[in-house]
Amino acid sequence: MLRTRHGDVATPVFMPVGTAGTVKAVAHDRLETVGVQLILANTYHLYLRPGHERIARLGGLHRFISWPRSILTDSGGFQVFSHRDLRRISEEGVHFQSHLDGSRHFLTPERIMDIQHELGSDIVMAFDECTPYPCGQTDAEVSMLLSMRWARRCLARWRELDDGSRGLFGIVQGGVYPGLRQASVESLREMGFSGLAVGGLSVGEPKNLMYETLAYTLPQLPHESPRYLMGVGSPRDLVRCIAMGADMFDCVLPTRNARNGCLFTSEGRILIKNACYAEDPGPPDPQCECLTCRRYSRAYLRHLFMAGEHLSAVLNTIHNISFYLDMMHKIRQAIASNSFGGWLEGSDKFPD
Amino acid sequence: MLRTRHGDVATPVFMPVGTAGTVKAVAHDRLETVGVQLILANTYHLYLRPGHERIARLGGLHRFISWPRSILTDSGGFQVFSHRDLRRISEEGVHFQSHLDGSRHFLTPERIMDIQHELGSDIVMAFDECTPYPCGQTDAEVSMLLSMRWARRCLARWRELDDGSRGLFGIVQGGVYPGLRQASVESLREMGFSGLAVGGLSVGEPKNLMYETLAYTLPQLPHESPRYLMGVGSPRDLVRCIAMGADMFDCVLPTRNARNGCLFTSEGRILIKNACYAEDPGPPDPQCECLTCRRYSRAYLRHLFMAGEHLSAVLNTIHNISFYLDMMHKIRQAIASNSFGGWLEGSDKFPD
């Protein structure tokens, strides 16, 4: 259980991604109905548009987007480093150009804390350098050490800004190198964050390498505070990573795939454009009770997708988020009743 | 009051346009909440995709799209004739090419009845030729007379198909020529349709010419059955045309404008992209109680629009449809209490 100023969040928890202050295509009452307690918003995107100062003048992010429950903001590190041609890193911070209009910006760990403070996030992430895959050990070490120095600066600034009512999470880096991951965890534990996240995974590495890295990284994270695995993953990944000790997740998979016509169901992935669904009167997932599955058929969803209708993204996204949230709800029940072991054994049957 | 197999429809009524079996961007429960009793679907679009035979195999249009209330289908005349380069008209019917894939089709009045029968519409429209504007009197007369012969063929086929539980409406044509409109009305009245529609307006003519045409056409329509003004219009048009005797309307204006960021409000049209709304914390329309106005600010709606977010179309459309439906509800109340005269006098204040 996480407790934020905007309510309790049962863990393990999956956070739908609301990049620009909206979980794409879905109105907030739908998210509430599905049981979403916590969404992730992207600092980088909100900083550029509509601007954190504007959001602050409008009463902060919760009020601006009209979301009364909890919000975690990432630090923008991943986004800044994704646009590799547009940025230049120094010890002090990052110079980069906006992907929207080419305007030039300079962000430091301190400034990133200021921005997230102005947004009013419940959970704030430290600014880190997210190393790509592949990345040699020397580069990974230099980058990790920079991220650790930045983490310390984030923490120092955050203590000036916050009264302790909001969480600041540190981010473990170190690529796929056990020694670096261990050193990173040790640095961050010593600094005293309210939670730790594992970053730098799900960035293109083979999945077995991700699991190897998690196998030696997750056990080192403190058990008394949240352990957030960033950017992961498929339903199958969630089951397996929860078994390994992670208890917070975010991923664009359910929302992005929904817009591309890919539905997660208890029978596996469904590509709704496939001709076999053209006259299928059944619901997307017979075991799901979401708005989409209660009311609409695969045939209709296929039609909406083929016709390029807005409603396709809406209904598909409602279903995929419901599928993820429902799975997490059942996992929490299984953990409470000591029956989660069966989930792990049967994890092959979850969509990957 | 209209009575269909799928419920009663209070008139005057505005029908949101659901071209391809979806009122664009809005899920059906939202339409139900707003009070939509009747939607319009496009025969031409559904015939081409996903195909009326497929829809019939899936149990008809209501079941296919999961809409339990009433549906009116247009005849496709307007769409066929809109694609002027793609069609060739004969006495027998219309040869045309699909705007989707160039495939060739031949539709006759009889076939159009068959298609709407298979769709299972509650209210079926006769197949007519919709004359463009401008159109000379001779052309308008030739076209109108063809539409009248087609109307008779539609009626003959419909009597073979239907048990009388569904309505078939004839469509008055005749351009902007009083004599032609009168002749058309007389032909249709004599044939015995369950309702009449005024077609061939709102096709690019100056608005005063539309009103002139309505001023002599609407009074000739039978008062004991529905009088449907096709493709009209703005909120101001609705008030004025109701005063002239029309009691059914459809128009893409509220839905299409919503997607383009234009909101209808009690204070007039709002173009949400305008910079003046960037930090406006108020609702789109302070007098509206729709989901959008209860929860979201102009500032947030502007942000969604500028960021090209799916949710922009969703929330704007919910508001615009609510605005139209709420206005019609209040007009029905005013008519019932004999106070509609005041609405007409103040019609200038409604958005045009």
Side-chain angles (χ1 to χ4, degrees):
Chain A
M1 171 83 81
L2 274 173
R3 181 154 288 174
T4 85
R5 294 176 309 160
H6 290 91
D8 293 340
V9 178
T11 55
V13 61
F14 179 81
M15 296 178 274
V17 175
T19 301
T22 155
V23 175
K24 287 188 192 300
V26 179
H28 302 358
D29 57 319
R30 305 289 201 198
L31 299 174
E32 289 170 353
T33 301
V34 167
V36 175
Q37 294 289 341
L38 175 60
I39 61 172
L40 177 144
N42 289 111
T43 298
Y44 168 84
H45 288 99
L46 294 169
Y47 161 79
L48 289 178
R49 184 174 60 193
H52 61 290
E53 286 152 337
R54 172 165 288 165
I55 291 172
R57 284 193 294 272
L58 285 159
L61 188 56
H62 289 81
R63 186 156 175 188
F64 173 58
I65 72 172
S66 187
W67 175 248
R69 300 184 182 177
S70 303
I71 300 176
L72 178 147
T73 43
D74 66 3
S75 63
F78 181 79
Q79 282 75 27
V80 167
F81 297 107
S82 297
H83 300 109
R84 300 185 71 175
D85 301 336
L86 300 174
R87 47 89 175 159
R88 186 168 54 76
I89 305 171
S90 68
E91 179 67 30
E92 181 60 16
V94 182
H95 291 270
F96 71 98
Q97 278 188 275
S98 162
H99 72 288
L100 296 174
D101 62 6
S103 58
R104 291 173 188 280
H105 302 263
F106 180 57
L107 289 177
T108 63
E110 290 79 10
R111 184 130 170 76
I112 288 284
M113 293 299 101
D114 295 345
I115 294 169
Q116 292 185 78
H117 175 68
E118 293 212 57
L119 292 174
S121 321
D122 297 296
I123 301 173
V124 162
M125 301 302 295
F127 193 49
D128 62 334
E129 183 181 11
C130 183
T131 46
Y133 180 85
C135 177
Q137 184 160 356
T138 307
D139 287 348
E141 180 167 16
V142 167
S143 170
M144 181 274 285
L145 291 173
L146 178 67
S147 286
M148 296 305 102
R149 292 192 297 276
W150 284 1
R152 198 176 295 279
R153 288 167 55 189
C154 286
L155 198 60
R157 171 73 92 177
W158 191 247
R159 286 181 174 149
E160 295 169 16
L161 295 170
D162 185 59
D163 59 4
S165 68
R166 290 175 292 175
L168 171 63
F169 282 25
I171 302 175
V172 179
Q173 290 290 350
V176 293
Y177 304 102
L180 298 183
R181 287 282 176 182
Q182 184 179 346
S184 180
V185 172
E186 282 171 8
S187 293
L188 295 170
R189 289 189 71 154
E190 175 211 320
M191 293 182 215
F193 286 93
S194 34
L196 293 188
V198 180
L201 290 176
S202 206
V203 293
E205 76 282 3
K207 197 157 262 191
N208 64 338
L209 202 48
M210 177 183 94
Y211 276 104
E212 275 178 35
T213 308
L214 289 173
Y216 55 73
T217 305
L218 282 169
Q220 302 179 52
L221 303 188
H223 285 217
E224 63 280 8
S225 56
R227 287 155 286 170
Y228 168 22
L229 177 50
M230 304 182 82
V232 175
S234 70
R236 189 182 299 171
D237 288 332
L238 296 193
V239 173
R240 293 179 177 177
C241 294
I242 288 168
M244 296 172 83
D247 53 18
M248 292 175 69
F249 303 89
D250 81 278
C251 190
V252 294
L253 213 54
T255 40
R256 181 177 293 163
N257 280 15
R259 299 194 300 282
N260 292 328
C262 172
L263 297 169
F264 292 99
T265 80
S266 58
E267 298 166 354
R269 286 188 188 220
I270 279 182
L271 296 177
I272 201 66
K273 76 175 174 189
N274 284 348
C276 61
Y277 303 122
E279 299 196 3
D280 186 337
D285 184 348
Q287 292 187 35
C288 177
E289 295 187 352
C290 78
L291 173 87
T292 304
C293 290
R294 281 200 319 269
R295 182 152 193 169
Y296 302 100
S297 66
R298 291 171 174 183
Y300 184 57
L301 294 183
R302 178 179 189 271
H303 167 63
L304 294 178
F305 184 79
M306 299 305 280
E309 284 287 344
H310 272 80
L311 192 56
S312 173
V314 173
L315 297 181
N316 291 353
T317 305
I318 289 172
H319 169 73
N320 275 357
I321 291 180
S322 297
F323 183 84
Y324 266 66
L325 271 279
D326 187 49
M327 188 181 81
M328 296 302 273
H329 177 69
K330 288 175 180 157
I331 287 176
R332 289 193 298 270
Q333 289 180 322
I335 291 171
S337 65
N338 282 316
S339 60
F340 182 62
W343 280 69
L344 183 60
E345 284 162 28
S347 64
D348 274 353
K349 74 179 165 61
F350 290 94
D352 196 24
Chain B
M1 171 84 82
L2 275 173
R3 181 154 287 174
T4 86
R5 293 176 311 159
H6 290 91
D8 293 340
V9 178
T11 56
V13 61
F14 179 82
M15 298 178 273
V17 175
T19 301
T22 155
V23 175
K24 287 188 192 302
V26 179
H28 302 358
D29 58 319
R30 305 287 200 197
L31 298 174
E32 289 170 353
T33 301
V34 167
V36 175
Q37 294 290 340
L38 175 60
I39 60 172
L40 177 144
N42 288 112
T43 298
Y44 168 83
H45 287 98
L46 293 169
Y47 161 79
L48 290 178
R49 184 172 60 192
H52 61 290
E53 287 151 337
R54 171 163 290 165
I55 291 172
R57 284 193 295 273
L58 286 160
L61 188 57
H62 289 81
R63 186 156 173 187
F64 174 59
I65 72 172
S66 186
W67 175 249
R69 300 183 181 176
S70 303
I71 299 175
L72 177 148
T73 43
D74 67 3
S75 63
F78 181 79
Q79 281 75 27
V80 168
F81 298 106
S82 297
H83 300 109
R84 302 185 70 176
D85 301 336
L86 300 174
R87 46 89 175 159
R88 187 168 54 76
I89 305 171
S90 69
E91 181 66 30
E92 182 58 17
V94 182
H95 292 270
F96 71 97
Q97 278 188 274
S98 162
H99 72 288
L100 296 174
D101 61 7
S103 57
R104 290 172 188 283
H105 302 263
F106 180 57
L107 289 176
T108 63
E110 289 80 10
R111 184 129 171 76
I112 288 284
M113 293 299 101
D114 295 347
I115 294 168
Q116 292 186 77
H117 175 68
E118 293 213 58
L119 292 175
S121 322
D122 297 294
I123 301 174
V124 163
M125 300 302 296
F127 193 48
D128 62 334
E129 183 181 10
C130 183
T131 45
Y133 180 85
C135 177
Q137 185 159 358
T138 307
D139 287 347
E141 180 167 16
V142 168
S143 169
M144 181 274 285
L145 291 172
L146 178 68
S147 287
M148 295 305 103
R149 293 191 296 277
W150 284 2
R152 198 175 296 277
R153 287 167 55 188
C154 286
L155 198 59
R157 172 71 88 171
W158 191 247
R159 285 180 176 149
E160 296 169 16
L161 296 169
D162 185 59
D163 59 3
S165 69
R166 290 175 291 174
L168 171 63
F169 282 25
I171 302 175
V172 179
Q173 290 289 351
V176 294
Y177 305 102
L180 299 183
R181 287 282 176 180
Q182 185 179 347
S184 179
V185 173
E186 282 170 8
S187 294
L188 295 170
R189 289 190 71 153
E190 175 213 320
M191 294 182 215
F193 287 93
S194 34
L196 292 188
V198 180
L201 291 177
S202 205
V203 292
E205 76 282 4
K207 197 156 261 190
N208 64 337
L209 201 49
M210 178 184 94
Y211 276 104
E212 273 178 35
T213 308
L214 289 173
Y216 56 72
T217 304
L218 283 170
Q220 301 180 53
L221 303 187
H223 284 217
E224 63 281 8
S225 55
R227 287 154 286 171
Y228 168 22
L229 177 49
M230 303 182 81
V232 174
S234 70
R236 190 182 299 171
D237 288 333
L238 296 193
V239 173
R240 293 179 177 177
C241 293
I242 288 168
M244 296 172 82
D247 53 18
M248 293 175 68
F249 303 90
D250 81 276
C251 190
V252 295
L253 213 53
T255 40
R256 181 176 294 162
N257 280 16
R259 298 194 300 282
N260 293 327
C262 172
L263 297 169
F264 291 99
T265 79
S266 58
E267 298 166 355
R269 286 188 187 218
I270 279 182
L271 296 177
I272 202 67
K273 75 174 174 189
N274 284 347
C276 62
Y277 303 122
E279 299 196 3
D280 186 338
D285 185 347
Q287 293 187 34
C288 177
E289 295 187 351
C290 78
L291 173 85
T292 304
C293 289
R294 282 200 317 270
R295 182 152 194 170
Y296 302 100
S297 66
R298 291 173 174 181
Y300 184 58
L301 295 183
R302 177 178 189 271
H303 167 63
L304 294 178
F305 184 79
M306 300 304 280
E309 284 288 343
H310 273 80
L311 192 57
S312 173
V314 173
L315 297 181
N316 291 354
T317 305
I318 289 173
H319 169 72
N320 275 358
I321 291 181
S322 297
F323 183 84
Y324 266 67
L325 270 280
D326 186 50
M327 188 182 80
M328 296 303 273
H329 177 69
K330 287 175 180 158
I331 287 176
R332 290 193 297 271
Q333 289 181 321
I335 291 171
S337 64
N338 281 316
S339 60
F340 181 63
W343 280 68
L344 183 60
E345 285 163 27
S347 64
D348 273 352
K349 74 179 163 63
F350 289 95
D352 196 23

